[in-house]
Amino acid sequence: MSAESIKSLLRSADAVCFDVDSTVIQEEAIDELAKHCGKFEEVTQLTSQAMGGAMDFRTSLSKRLGIINPSFSTIQNFLSNRPPKYSQGIKDLVERLHKQGTRVYLVTGGFRVIVEPIAKGLNIPIENIYANEILFDEEGNYKGFDHNCPTSKNGGKAEVVGLLKKQHNYKTVIMIGDGSTDLEAAPPADAFIGYGGVALRETVRSKAKYYVTDFQDLIKHLD
């Protein structure tokens, strides 16, 4: 499929699924949480390996959370002190998609508790979030993550896209993101748009049929 074909699909898509970290927002939330907990250097390398496809995503997620060991109160404090830093143009792009009747979803290997405020700022319903769930014990201590969430594993985003197409009878779904887990969601996504405005991952850029570094490049095709 050519870049021109993908641009045309964007104008008529039933749904667009966005990755969140380094796509909708200008950072990797798990790295920022690690920084908040004084574990940045240990975690960021694992994030890079996972996003570039050099490490199984679930393995990387487990290792990173194990290092951070975030309590419920730690995450609440993190959210209170670090409002989302949206990528330039994303609010306008989502608004344009909504106006043309395209459903917008956030499909991410990040965590629901962090993604919900991001979705609210974009007027995306919380039921349109597919993300991971951090688990806590009765005292609010970290005790793992829900392995039943499809986005906790490689291939999980493809699973979510397939589920959305089946549940809603969508004919055209587009996935937009910066990482290898986004790229592998197409198919069943009908097209993939690579985004490198925050983090340019060469393995993704080289395989994407359509790659942008500025969301304005997508907005202009919706006018």
Side-chain angles (χ1 to χ4, degrees):
M1 181 179 292
S2 68
E4 291 303 316
S5 296
I6 296 173
K7 293 172 188 177
S8 178
L9 284 179
L10 185 64
R11 290 190 291 269
S12 61
D14 295 309
V16 172
C17 298
F18 286 92
D19 172 48
V20 174
D21 299 309
S22 296
T23 301
V24 168
I25 60 172
Q26 299 176 29
E27 53 205 0
E28 291 287 332
I30 193 168
D31 288 353
E32 295 304 308
L33 179 60
K35 186 183 295 182
H36 180 76
C37 297
K39 303 289 187 179
F40 180 75
E41 294 299 331
E42 297 172 71
V43 168
T44 185
Q45 185 175 358
L46 292 170
T47 298
S48 179
Q49 290 175 348
M51 293 304 98
M55 180 182 290
D56 172 75
F57 185 80
R58 181 171 285 174
T59 299
S60 173
L61 184 63
S62 180
K63 286 185 176 182
R64 287 178 289 168
L65 283 173
I67 292 168
I68 300 169
N69 193 31
S71 67
F72 180 79
S73 61
T74 296
I75 291 178
Q76 293 305 311
N77 181 264
F78 169 74
L79 291 173
S80 297
N81 288 283
R82 298 190 66 89
K85 295 180 181 178
Y86 292 99
S87 294
Q88 186 173 1
I90 188 62
K91 290 187 176 182
D92 192 11
L93 176 57
V94 171
E95 183 179 356
R96 299 289 184 92
L97 290 169
H98 282 155
K99 282 184 177 179
Q100 74 174 22
T102 299
R103 298 290 182 90
V104 178
Y105 294 85
L106 299 181
V107 183
T108 173
F111 309 113
R112 175 173 288 275
V113 66
I114 295 175
V115 175
E116 285 186 356
I118 296 169
K120 184 177 180 181
L122 296 171
N123 295 314
I124 295 173
I126 59 171
E127 60 266 27
N128 287 15
I129 298 172
Y130 288 82
N132 292 317
E133 299 274 4
I134 299 178
L135 304 177
F136 304 97
D137 64 21
E138 293 180 356
E139 296 178 349
N141 299 310
Y142 171 71
K143 70 169 189 176
F145 60 94
D146 187 350
H147 285 226
N148 292 318
C149 295
T151 51
S152 71
K153 64 183 179 181
N154 283 90
K157 292 184 179 182
E159 187 176 323
V160 170
V161 172
L163 179 67
L164 290 174
K165 294 183 81 170
K166 183 177 180 180
Q167 286 183 337
H168 302 284
N169 199 29
Y170 293 147
K171 290 182 172 58
T172 305
V173 178
I174 295 175
M175 183 77 210
I176 300 176
D178 71 295
S180 61
T181 58
D182 307 307
L183 176 66
E184 68 183 11
D190 300 276
F192 168 71
I193 299 174
Y195 176 70
V198 177
L200 197 160
R201 308 189 197 282
E202 182 57 33
T203 54
V204 176
R205 189 202 64 78
S206 64
K207 294 178 181 178
K209 302 296 185 184
Y210 184 29
Y211 195 86
V212 300
T213 57
D214 190 331
F215 283 128
Q216 291 298 330
D217 290 339
L218 302 184
I219 292 167
K220 68 184 180 183
H221 297 304
L222 300 177
D223 292 334

